[in-house]
């Protein structure tokens, strides 16, 4: 799903962040403009980029927030950063947010930012027409990523196969899965943009068998906050939530201008890149998030995340699948 540049976060940069980041400041510290200093982190991905709309359009400033957004590609550091309070807000995929919480991260769910709606998919050779045609075939994917959950949900709901019927080859990340497919080493692969589009263009006969558009609840991104910070600063959490909704509204109303703002915070990402990624995404604003919180709805956020948590616990990547405390803020 991610259009991550996946630049390795250097040791020097990480040391600089730890030494100069906000971890040593109190949550109530003020900047010269009498705004509250807050730090948010996420990697290079279009799904988080409306936060740069908020910066460029002055929404954070209007809300009394001096927001420092740190683009951190090394996601292995996220749990530590959010737990220690070195960052107050973290945006990443729903699965890792759940796994981090289940394994002890001091975080709380705030909102769902976007859903993959075609930005991820199973790309296969011409002879594989349906999921059932994967029997005995090799499929490359990253078993630690959202794509693994997506793939097994697709098998369960769209075929007669199980994982055991397929030669699943675990890759270091989803980009490697795409490279393996484009290099002719596997019959199919779970990919995200831009590798997905690249594979369709570069490999003769390559096509998508199924995409996240067919299973929209399987891959999404969410915003979480440090639990202690949220308890001490509920108004800031509410303000950040409102800022997100304003940014999504701006994106919907002024897409061409919004794409430029969204690209402004990333290196080597253009407005055109953003425009291409947005085609496979659904951004969730106020109404969509309100609908997700409806416990009577057939597909609400609690059921969606519980299903993910149970899946990852079964795979040995979650210590627990109990998420009641994860949703404390939105159930209050």
């Amino acid at each position: 799903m991610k259009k991550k540049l996946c630049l390795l976060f250097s040791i020097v940069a990480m040391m600089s962040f730890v030494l100069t980041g906000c971890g040593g400041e109190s949550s109530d510290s003020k900047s010269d403009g009498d705004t509250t200093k807050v730090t948010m982190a996420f990697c290079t991905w279009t799904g988080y980029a409306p936060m740069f709309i908020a910066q460029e359009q002055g929404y954070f400033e209007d809300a009394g927030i001096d927001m420092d957004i740190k683009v951190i590609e090394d996601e292995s550091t996220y749990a530590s950063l959010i737990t220690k309070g070195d960052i107050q807000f973290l945006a990443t995929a729903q699965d890792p947010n759940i796994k981090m919480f289940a394994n002890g991260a001091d975080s709380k769910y705030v909102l769902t930012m976007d859903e993959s709606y075609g930005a991820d998919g199973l790309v296969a050779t011409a002879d594989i027409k349906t999921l059932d045609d994967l029997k005995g075939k090799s499929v490359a994917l990253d078993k630690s990523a959202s794509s693994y959950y997506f793939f097994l949900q697709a098998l369960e709901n769209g075929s007669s196969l199980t994982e055991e019927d397929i030669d699943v080859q675990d890759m270091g990340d989803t980009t490697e899965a795409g490279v393996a497919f484009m290099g002719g080493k596997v019959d199919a692969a779970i990919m995200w943009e831009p590798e997905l589009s690249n594979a369709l263009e570069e490999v003769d006969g390559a096509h998508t068998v199924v995409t996240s558009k067919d299973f929209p609840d399987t891959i999404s991104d969410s915003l979480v906050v440090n639990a202690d910070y949220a308890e001490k600063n509920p108004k800031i959490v509410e303000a950040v939530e409102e800022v997100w909704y304003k940014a999504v509204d701006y994106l919907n109303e002024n897409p061409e201008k919004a794409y430029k703002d969204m690209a402004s915070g990333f290196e080597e990402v253009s407005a055109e890149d953003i425009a291409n990624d947005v085609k496979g995404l659904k951004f969730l604003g106020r109404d969509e998030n309100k609908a997700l919180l409806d416990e009577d709805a057939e597909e609400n956020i609690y059921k969606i995340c519980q299903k993910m948590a149970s899946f990852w616990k079964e795979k040995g990547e979650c210590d627990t699948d109990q998420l009641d405390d994860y949703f404390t803020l939105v159930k209050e």
Side-chain angles (χ1 to χ4, degrees), residues 71-89:
V71 179
I72 301 177
E73 312 294 359
D74 182 6
E75 297 181 31
S76 66
T77 66
Y78 284 176
S80 175
L81 293 174
I82 194 71
T83 298
K84 291 179 180 178
D86 291 335
I87 57 176
Q88 284 78 58
F89 290 87

Side-chain angles (χ1 to χ4, degrees), residues 107-183:
S107 57
K108 301 287 186 182
Y109 172 89
V110 178
L111 56 81
T112 296
M113 306 173 82
D114 68 271
E115 293 178 345
S116 179
Y117 200 67
D120 300 70
L122 174 72
V123 180
T125 52
D127 58 312
I128 299 172
K129 305 296 185 183
T130 69
L131 288 172
D132 281 328
D133 292 335
L134 290 173
K135 187 170 185 177
K137 302 290 187 178
S138 55
V139 177
L141 54 79
D142 177 3
K143 282 193 172 184
S144 68
S146 306
S147 51
Y148 185 38
Y149 177 72
F150 159 71
F151 179 59
L152 293 193
Q153 290 301 305
L155 284 184
E156 180 180 340
N157 295 284
S159 80
S160 61
L161 305 181
T162 66
E163 183 178 2
E164 288 68 31
D165 296 314
I166 301 166
D167 177 18
V168 175
Q169 298 190 14
D170 189 12
M171 297 288 162
D173 58 41
T174 303
T175 298
E176 286 187 18
V179 170
F181 176 78
M182 285 185 276

